[in-house]
Amino acid sequence: MHCKPFSSILFGIWLALATAAALADRPPANGKALSALLEDVEKSHPGVIMSAEFDDRRWELVTCASEGRSCRELSIDAISGKELRSSSESDWGRRPPAGGKTASQVARAVEERKLGVITEMEFEQPAWEVSV
């Protein structure tokens, strides 16, 4: 009888858990496209979306007033696009330039290029950073 070493079994369990965790931090296949979700938020929350991150089965967005220091963190259901929670967020400083591409336009451009599923995007002066 041949037994696998204990370390191989532990590695197999770790690999399975790591894979499950990675998949849990990806938007569901039946979820609303991020660009469509961001368009809805842009319409209902005047201002500028500064970031979007998929975490714990929902999108966490930061939206800020175009001027001033008012920002909100929104928790959005990935499937329905429904707002689950909203809270104050500290000011994010510099906004994307007026007349520049919105978060939804950036997301749509990445989606159209079929580079992968967006898991996070954030405006970092002077450009958008997008993770797939």
Side-chain angles (χ1 to χ4, degrees):
M1 180 169 126
H2 183 270
C3 293
K4 290 185 178 183
F6 187 67
S7 61
S8 294
I9 294 170
L10 285 178
F11 177 75
I13 292 171
W14 174 84
L15 184 60
L17 291 173
T19 301
L23 291 174
D25 285 339
R26 298 191 64 76
N30 64 337
K32 194 169 189 175
L34 179 59
S35 59
L37 188 143
L38 294 175
E39 284 174 2
D40 292 346
V41 171
E42 288 166 350
K43 290 175 188 171
S44 62
H45 293 274
V48 179
I49 295 174
M50 300 296 294
S51 71
E53 178 182 6
F54 188 78
D55 186 36
D56 197 25
R57 300 184 317 269
R58 63 183 54 111
W59 285 101
E60 300 290 338
L61 310 179
V62 173
T63 182
C64 299
S66 297
E67 296 179 13
R69 303 186 64 80
S70 174
C71 296
R72 307 281 309 158
E73 181 176 16
L74 309 174
S75 181
I76 309 288
D77 182 83
I79 296 172
S80 69
K82 179 182 174 187
E83 186 175 315
L84 304 172
R85 180 179 49 83
S86 173
S87 60
S88 293
E89 176 72 21
S90 61
D91 182 47
W92 276 54
R94 294 185 56 142
R95 313 292 196 257
K101 294 208 180 283
T102 65
S104 64
Q105 291 170 328
V106 172
R108 184 165 313 287
V110 172
E111 291 166 351
E112 288 173 352
R113 286 176 178 77
K114 300 189 185 313
L115 300 172
V117 177
I118 299 171
T119 56
E120 182 177 4
M121 59 186 290
E122 181 176 353
F123 183 76
E124 283 289 330
Q125 190 67 22
W128 283 96
E129 293 180 2
V130 181
S131 299
V132 294

